Amino acid sequence: MLPAQALGALVPAALLFLAQGAAADNTGTTTRYWDCCKPSCGWAGKGFAVGPVGTCDKDDRPLNDNGATKSGCDDGGSAYMCSSQAPWAVNDTVAYGYAAVRIAGGTEASWCCQCYELTFTSAPLLGKKLVVQATNTGGDLGANHFDLAIPGGGVGIYNACTQQYGAPPNGWGDRYGGVHSKADCDSFPQALKAGCSWRFDWFQGADNPAVTFTQVTCPSELVAKTGCHR
Ligand SMILES: *[C@@H]1O[C@H](CO)[C@@H](O)[C@H](O)[C@H]1NC(C)=O
């Protein structure tokens, strides 16, 4: 046992340690996907104040159905992810987009339509920031995992892109990971081209880069495209 005086002297160091520990808890992983399915936060009653996340019909027109239409990834479903929910560059250091997430200790009721500022921690994106709004949940995601919605990023488990856009049976490129180069985006449906190219421009073709993250108030630009906020 340390005398009280010695303990007092240790406090600043202990606080510093705690602060570093808290930062370490906010590390996350990323992957990428674009499966064209209706995102999970597109159903009513997922903890947001205004919502759900807007979805689109096969021709990319807003459904305005308050989340009632079944997903194009389910039998007989006809609701799809809108092309407007693709990422874009705000400037060289900041981009906005959407993601399927799983946050440690949370549920959809806590993360649907919440925004997170992701800071990349490795080259080539070191220090760049991507602010994402959570529109979806992945049953296959680990804790503090952001599956970034990037057209041409791979359809993953589900695939409605064949139904919606006539994509190849396993989606564009590899089922997991998607297309390999910006040139592969040239043959994309017009509405998805810019989002596909973003991965090779602002995102510099990074492959599942690690991040640190903090919860932030959503920029109005992200809310404007989904119609959903906390
Ligand atoms: C980039 O955009 C963000 C968000 O609008 C802004 O806060 C930041 O100052 C901008 N950075 C530069 C270098 O323009």
Side-chain angles (χ1 to χ4, degrees):
M1 194 76 176
L2 290 162
Q5 233 175 339
L7 198 57
L10 283 175
V11 165
L15 282 177
L16 185 64
F17 177 77
L18 282 175
Q20 283 168 347
D25 284 340
N26 283 339
T27 59
T29 56
T30 69
T31 47
R32 58 181 181 269
Y33 84 107
W34 188 275
D35 57 15
C36 299
C37 304
K38 170 178 180 170
S40 180
C41 305
W43 294 95
K46 298 280 182 106
F48 32 72
V50 174
V53 169
T55 57
C56 284
D57 70 8
K58 202 164 175 290
D59 298 316
D60 204 29
R61 287 178 303 223
L63 278 168
N64 300 317
D65 62 347
N66 195 32
T69 309
K70 269 171 69 178
S71 172
C73 284
D74 296 334
D75 273 349
S78 55
Y80 301 88
M81 183 164 284
C82 301
S83 67
S84 59
Q85 289 162 32
W88 73 96
V90 174
N91 55 41
D92 279 351
T93 48
V94 177
Y96 289 163
Y98 301 90
V101 310
R102 183 170 292 275
I103 306 292
T107 65
E108 284 204 317
S110 60
W111 67 62
C112 269
C113 299
Q114 183 60 250
C115 286
Y116 302 91
E117 182 183 83
L118 314 182
T119 303
F120 297 102
T121 54
S122 59
L125 297 177
L126 187 64
K128 289 175 98 170
K129 291 176 191 295
L130 173 62
V131 182
V132 292
Q133 185 177 43
T135 52
N136 206 353
T137 298
D140 56 336
L141 303 184
N144 294 344
H145 184 154
F146 299 84
D147 199 8
L148 309 175
I150 308 174
V155 293
I157 303 174
Y158 305 105
N159 172 25
C161 294
T162 300
Q163 222 170 306
Q164 193 186 12
Y165 293 107
N170 283 317
W172 298 283
D174 299 331
R175 182 132 200 158
Y176 291 88
V179 301
H180 299 272
S181 71
K182 190 173 168 180
D184 292 335
C185 303
D186 292 348
S187 57
F188 263 54
Q190 191 58 38
L192 297 180
K193 250 183 212 176
C196 180
S197 299
W198 174 89
R199 189 174 133 214
F200 302 99
D201 296 332
W202 190 94
F203 198 63
Q204 295 173 253
D207 190 21
N208 300 344
V211 296
T212 56
F213 68 96
T214 52
Q215 192 173 301
V216 295
T217 301
C218 286
S220 56
E221 293 92 330
L222 283 171
V223 172
K225 288 170 189 277
T226 57
C228 189
H229 65 82
R230 302 291 303 181

